[in-house]
Amino acid sequence: MSLRDKIQLNQNEIDDYLVNQNDIHIGTINKDGSPHLTTMWYSMRGPDIIFHTYTKSQKIKNLSRDSRISILTESGKTYETLKGLMLYGNATIINGHNNEDEVLLIIKEVEDKYAKGSASEEYIEFMKKQSSKRSGVLVRVSKYISWDHSKI
């Protein structure tokens, strides 16, 4: 067995890791072909990753041109504790201007992850007013690359 095979996460480990991570780093492709990287809060909807952002953001502009997306999430402070996932997939944009209810649902799902189900009514009311200016993104993952150095 190669070292690469030894440190890979199985699907259950991948699912658990994604549910428990705090943020993701996403990569999209700028108009000139250069990478655009940013960090986002997110949640899981089954096997798919969801997040939301302003419709006018660079990441939405990029995904509108090219739906390919890469995602990184990682943890660990020393070599033997390094663990992470690199994901490749395609993003579907849900524009709040056309579908406020679905975008608000994504906003609530992401908020529930971080507020542990106790999102304030004030926050939800504020986001209702914002939802027409925002887009939800649903990422369908096509490839996982994983590592867990604690398995060495």
Side-chain angles (χ1 to χ4, degrees):
M1 174 185 282
S2 73
L3 182 59
R4 175 87 212 110
D5 292 337
K6 190 175 182 178
I7 64 173
Q8 284 182 332
L9 300 172
N10 65 41
Q11 192 60 52
N12 287 337
E13 292 170 321
I14 288 171
D15 294 343
D16 288 344
Y17 194 64
L18 283 172
V19 165
N20 292 306
Q21 281 297 96
N22 196 49
D23 54 36
I24 54 175
H25 310 289
I26 67 167
T28 60
I29 303 166
N30 284 319
K31 191 175 187 178
D32 67 1
S34 63
H36 177 265
L37 301 172
T38 190
T39 303
M40 299 297 299
W41 280 4
Y42 72 102
S43 190
M44 302 300 297
R45 186 182 277 179
D48 300 327
I49 293 171
I50 57 172
F51 62 90
H52 59 91
T53 187
Y54 283 104
T55 300
K56 291 184 178 183
S57 70
Q58 188 63 50
K59 64 192 123 331
I60 295 296
K61 290 177 185 176
N62 291 345
L63 290 170
S64 295
R65 274 193 310 277
D66 186 335
S67 67
R68 292 177 296 169
I69 189 169
S70 59
I71 296 173
L72 171 71
T73 188
E74 50 77 33
S75 60
K77 299 290 183 199
T78 60
Y79 184 81
E80 66 277 1
T81 62
L82 295 178
K83 186 175 185 177
L85 288 171
M86 187 166 45
L87 315 170
Y88 296 97
N90 285 86
T92 299
I93 299 168
I94 300 127
N95 188 306
H97 183 71
N98 302 326
N99 198 341
E100 284 186 54
D101 291 340
E102 180 62 19
V103 171
L104 188 59
L105 182 60
I106 290 170
I107 290 168
K108 287 179 182 178
E109 288 178 60
V110 172
E111 178 63 15
D112 281 348
K113 175 180 177 170
Y114 296 93
K116 308 291 188 242
S118 64
S120 73
E121 289 182 36
E122 294 86 21
Y123 175 78
I124 298 304
E125 285 304 313
F126 173 76
M127 292 311 286
K128 279 182 184 177
K129 295 173 187 165
Q130 293 285 311
S131 60
S132 66
K133 300 176 189 177
R134 300 185 73 81
S135 286
V137 178
L138 184 139
V139 177
R140 185 134 303 137
V141 178
S142 58
K143 182 178 179 181
Y144 298 90
I145 298 172
S146 62
W147 58 93
D148 180 354
H149 287 192
S150 71
K151 293 181 173 187
I152 298 175

